[in-house]
Amino acid sequence: MWFVETVVLSCIITLGWTLMFTVPKRYILPCLLMTAFGFGLKTALVYYEVHLVIASFFGAMLASFLGVYFSKKYTLTPKALISPSVICMMPGIAAYKAMVSMVQIGYFGYSDALFSQMMGYLFEALFVTSALVLGLSIPGLLFYRRRAIV
């Protein structure tokens, strides 16, 4: 039950972003489907104890593959569909905790524990963001490549 709730909440986030990006009404459902499958895969992989970075990579890659499929079906640019679908996978909590730790270091003074905590959250946010970028770029490399690989 928690899985369905999590996926529905991520779709609500995507609905808000599609409205902010002014995506046409007929393309909102494919964005929600991409979010449901991509975020659902990420959540399922994290539940089965796959590392968050790898789970984010595969979730973003699945959403991106679906974005390429829907963009060819509806003759729309893939970025218009993929961008709102992947925003819910951004590591906002880790980045926020890194910033809070940084402010605490400035306020309370340096300590090894706070610095270690800050760097842990910072690297988690950086690696998850990098995994999302790589996951989004894989279908573009496969389908929109103009030159031969060799």
Side-chain angles (χ1 to χ4, degrees), residues 6-16 31-33 35-36 39 88:
T6 306
V7 170
V8 167
L9 288 175
S10 67
C11 288
I12 291 172
I13 292 169
T14 300
L15 179 65
C31 286
L32 295 178
L33 286 174
T35 299
F39 191 80
C88 62

Side-chain angles (χ1 to χ4, degrees), residues 8 18 55 60 79 114 121 134 137 143 146:
V8 167
T18 56
K79 304 234 184 313
L114 275 176
Y121 287 131
L134 286 174
S137 65
F143 294 123
R146 302 204 188 280

Side-chain angles (χ1 to χ4, degrees), residues 2-67:
W2 65 270
F3 181 77
V4 175
E5 290 175 1
T6 306
V7 170
V8 167
L9 288 175
S10 67
C11 288
I12 291 172
I13 292 169
T14 300
L15 179 65
W17 281 103
T18 56
L19 296 176
M20 285 182 62
F21 286 163
T22 61
V23 175
K25 288 180 184 177
R26 63 178 181 243
Y27 302 128
I28 291 177
L29 183 62
C31 286
L32 295 178
L33 286 174
M34 289 166 32
T35 299
F37 284 115
F39 191 80
L41 177 65
K42 177 193 157 215
T43 305
L45 288 176
V46 168
Y47 178 75
Y48 289 113
E49 298 178 359
V50 175
H51 196 272
L52 178 64
V53 175
I54 296 169
S56 298
F57 170 74
F58 284 116
M61 192 168 60
L62 177 63
S64 188
F65 274 119
L66 289 173

